Amino acid sequence: MRDSLAAECEQVLVVKDPESSAEAIVVVHSTKLGPAHGGIRRWAYASHEAAMADVVALARAMTHKCALCEVPAGGGKAVILDHPGLDRESAYRLVGRTVEQLGGAFYTGPDVNTTAADLRWVGEETRFVATDAADGPGDLAAATADGVLSAWLALAEELGAQPSDLHCVVQGLGAVGMRLCERLAALGTRLSVFDVVPSRLEHAVQNCGATAISSDQVTQTACDIFSPCALGGVLTEPVAASLPARGVCGAANNVFGNAAAADSMHRRSVPVVPDFIANAGALIQGAIWNLQRERITPERLHRIGVTTREILQRSRAVDRPPSQVALELARERLER
Ligand code: NAI
Ligand code: PHE
């Protein structure tokens, strides 16, 4: 299964910096619709195989994201294999050089644990990166949070409620999760939040009026909407069978542990907005800037809400999970 996924990719580059021993994997999944786009994730993987499995799955999700949000781009991803003592600058520069060698087949940007400062190193090695420079695409995490909010509001509508009447559990208070909390707090949504970094938890409590919950409570707290904004794989089969939420919508890529978990949520009539629709904001803003040198309007991100509504309605009509319906639509567009 994993091998067949890697075989789908146009290029899989495993690179190592001889001086620092920093290691990275850069994947171009598809350039069928345009140059591949994918952020850089820095993570301490349990093994090389685990890193490879993650990067190819994330790259494939980017291809689907591009097809669904109708940008002329394809899917890719880069991961840096983190470990204590990693020379962070060398690692990001290594990815930058690799991206430059690809000559425009792959554009990169932010993802988990990659900061604006990290991307400046990348930007010194390659032209094909979205940084926070004045002549860049702007705040991509903000675009992602705006897009997630648009999808979240479509889900709220589906649940027949106003944001101020809803309770949302947010997991992960990083670049996207914190911005989402700020936006939801402004709409009067009650928030319960968790992050493994205590200072981020404290910040959300102080600034968004959120209630701090523990790691165990994240998938056990009764709420209207669960919003995963940390890593993927949160909706495992046991979680999907018992999650006490009326709907799910967040930024985390590849949120399902497997397809059975998606079926389980659907059987329980809990709509899960496909992550590759909800979190497309950065891709839309980044790709339109990279490929057309244009700044998008807020309306462009609101279309994420329109797509969400269509997918949720179609899911109900055909009685299949929203993720399946969205995947079919993405594949149709790729084949066309
Ligand atoms: P980030 O690295 O800024 O934030 C991730 C946060 O999750 C951190 O605060 C971290 O401490 C926390 N975290 C990690 N493990 C956790 C756990 N078990 N429980 C609770 N919190 C945990 O990453 P970012 O950029 O906010 O991305 C979040 C998710 O959204 C990722 O899955 C990413 O792939 C996805 N995404 C991000 C985009 C962007 O524009 N940054 C675009 C599209 C998707
Ligand atoms: N990391 C972003 C995502 O997962 C996408 C991104 C890639 C944004 C490249 C800009 C440039 O969707």
Side-chain angles (χ1 to χ4, degrees):
M1 162 71 185
R2 214 162 53 208
D3 287 348
S4 66
L5 191 49
E8 269 179 42
C9 300
E10 289 177 14
Q11 300 198 58
V12 178
L13 305 173
V14 181
V15 290
K16 200 167 178 171
D17 178 48
E19 272 172 39
S20 64
S21 299
E23 259 188 283
I25 309 175
V26 178
V27 168
V28 175
H29 177 260
S30 168
T31 54
K32 208 165 176 177
L33 299 179
H37 277 65
I40 306 171
R41 176 170 293 197
R42 182 170 50 81
W43 196 251
Y45 290 98
S47 64
H48 204 276
E49 289 70 29
M52 183 62 86
D54 199 34
V55 68
V56 295
L58 288 164
R60 177 161 79 162
M62 291 302 295
T63 299
H64 297 146
K65 201 181 294 189
C66 292
L68 276 174
C69 67
E70 298 185 278
V71 292
K77 204 81 183 186
V79 296
I80 289 173
L81 283 74
D82 205 358
H83 56 80
L86 172 80
D87 178 344
R88 189 159 162 174
E89 178 175 347
S90 296
Y92 280 96
R93 287 189 182 278
L94 171 69
V95 174
R97 287 195 301 277
T98 311
V99 169
E100 184 60 28
Q101 277 159 19
L102 287 167
F106 179 59
Y107 284 75
T108 198
D111 199 75
V112 173
N113 281 332
T114 293
T115 63
D118 296 325
L119 290 176
R120 273 177 236 133
W121 285 322
V122 179
E124 284 172 16
E125 303 290 341
T126 181
R127 297 160 283 169
F128 308 113
V129 61
T131 68
D132 62 354
D135 61 347
D139 185 343
L140 293 177
T144 304
D146 286 337
V148 174
L149 180 66
S150 178
W152 192 102
L153 291 172
L155 175 61
E157 216 177 281
E158 180 87 352
L159 300 177
Q162 294 298 320
S164 56
D165 296 329
L166 295 177
H167 174 205
C168 181
V169 168
V170 181
Q171 179 192 40
L173 302 166
V176 181
M178 194 68 86
R179 285 171 173 80
L180 179 65
C181 284
E182 288 159 5
R183 286 154 173 73
L184 290 174
L187 295 174
T189 303
R190 182 154 77 89
L191 297 169
S192 295
V193 297
F194 174 69
D195 195 291
V196 288
V197 178
S199 60
R200 293 188 185 158
L201 202 50
E202 189 51 31
H203 185 91
V205 170
Q206 294 296 329
N207 292 277
C208 307
T211 301
I213 56 174
S214 67
S215 170
D216 292 347
Q217 288 172 316
V218 165
T219 53
Q220 288 170 17
T221 299
C223 63
D224 297 292
I225 299 181
F226 172 52
S227 188
C229 294
L231 294 178
V234 185
L235 298 180
T236 57
E237 280 183 68
V239 170
S242 63
L243 186 80
R246 296 167 63 209
V248 177
C249 177
N253 274 306
N254 295 344
V255 76
F256 286 115
N258 59 27
D263 287 337
S264 166
M265 295 297 283
H266 181 67
R267 276 198 306 276
R268 290 180 58 219
S269 303
V270 181
V272 179
V273 177
D275 44 74
F276 52 93
I277 295 177
N279 70 20
L283 169 75
I284 296 171
Q285 183 161 311
I288 302 272
W289 175 258
N290 289 337
L291 304 174
Q292 297 166 2
R293 279 294 180 268
E294 277 171 28
R295 302 225 175 257
I296 57 165
T297 60
E299 180 48 36
R300 186 66 178 84
L301 295 177
H302 293 161
R303 266 161 56 189
I304 289 178
V306 175
T307 308
T308 302
R309 243 172 252 120
E310 281 169 13
I311 294 291
L312 293 181
Q313 282 162 8
R314 202 156 148 179
S315 156
R316 250 190 291 111
V318 299
D319 194 18
R320 283 208 304 279
S323 53
Q324 245 183 48
V325 170
L327 264 182
E328 280 159 16
L329 189 60
R331 287 192 185 126
E332 265 171 38
R333 289 189 181 165
L334 277 164
E335 254 130 60
R336 251 193 276 137

